[in-house]
Amino acid sequence: KRVEHKMEQLLKLRRNEFKDNPPLTRELDLVERDSQVTFETSLDNEDLSKDDHLDIFRVDNDFEKHEETWGKIRSEILGLSDNEEDESGEDETDDDADDDEEDDSDASEQELATGTMKSQTITTIEDLTEADLVHLRRQIYLTIMSSATFEECAHKLTKIHIPF
């Protein structure tokens, strides 16, 4: 009954051409139809060429400069002023914290260079998911199932490394 009722509701919505659920709300329609630039391409198009050089990561030495340039372009496209861009970004206290972190990382780099680095504490991570146990059980099961005789099974099981 419940499924029938839900199906009837869905079919009723379809008959009404989803008038209660518009495909695009006015709040999300930011670009007017006349201003939109769209490109249609087909995957079967033989004119498509592959750009293999884009698959390789290359370090950008002028990253900060390029980010600043793209930030200006972004603010120009979105119509943001400098004040609005600051509000949408991080607060100044966050920037100060970032500067402190940068200073700390610079200091640690200098200590590494001079060899005066203090000993760091080593933290051990304990796996509570028991993934090792599940893997061991799976390995034992597969060993037993793949063995033809009990002697072969015993021989293979003795060769499994079981951590204590």
Side-chain angles (χ1 to χ4, degrees):
K1 292 274 184 184
R2 182 171 181 249
V3 174
E4 260 182 64
H5 179 68
K6 289 288 184 185
M7 287 300 297
E8 288 174 8
Q9 285 181 336
L10 286 172
L11 291 172
K12 185 179 177 183
L13 276 173
R14 185 173 180 266
R15 279 190 298 261
N16 292 336
E17 297 177 358
F18 302 101
K19 294 199 191 292
D20 296 336
N21 303 316
L24 185 64
T25 59
R26 292 192 184 275
E27 295 85 27
L28 294 177
D29 194 12
L30 299 176
V31 181
E32 296 180 20
R33 292 275 182 204
D34 300 334
S35 301
Q36 291 180 0
V37 178
T38 58
F39 300 95
E40 293 183 20
T41 184
S42 171
L43 295 177
D44 297 331
N45 192 355
E46 294 177 5
D47 296 333
L48 291 177
S49 62
K50 199 166 119 180
D51 293 332
D52 287 329
H53 68 278
L54 295 176
D55 291 339
I56 301 170
F57 176 77
R58 291 182 180 82
V59 176
D60 185 8
N61 295 330
D62 298 328
F63 176 76
E64 298 292 330
K65 180 181 165 188
H66 293 146
E67 278 297 308
E68 185 177 317
T69 305
W70 283 111
K72 289 176 185 176
I73 293 170
R74 176 181 161 265
S75 63
E76 180 182 322
I77 290 173
L78 296 176
L80 299 175
S81 66
D82 290 338
N83 295 338
E84 291 175 3
E85 189 174 330
D86 289 343
E87 291 172 5
S88 67
E90 298 178 287
D91 294 337
E92 288 194 23
T93 57
D94 291 343
D95 291 340
D96 292 341
D98 290 343
D99 291 341
D100 292 342
E101 290 174 7
E102 288 175 10
D103 292 341
D104 292 342
S105 65
D106 290 341
S108 64
E109 288 175 6
Q110 290 174 354
E111 288 176 359
L112 281 174
T114 59
T116 60
M117 185 71 174
K118 297 175 184 174
S119 65
Q120 296 180 349
T121 59
I122 298 174
T123 58
T124 57
I125 299 172
E126 186 177 339
D127 183 17
L128 300 175
T129 61
E130 297 182 353
D132 293 335
L133 180 63
V134 171
H135 177 68
L136 178 65
R137 287 179 179 170
R138 180 177 179 270
Q139 190 177 13
I140 291 171
Y141 172 78
L142 291 174
T143 303
I144 293 170
M145 296 307 288
S146 67
S147 301
T149 64
F150 71 93
E151 294 163 339
E152 179 186 357
C153 177
H155 181 70
K156 285 182 180 179
L157 287 174
T158 57
K159 293 205 179 256
I160 292 178
H161 174 68
I162 300 175
F164 292 101

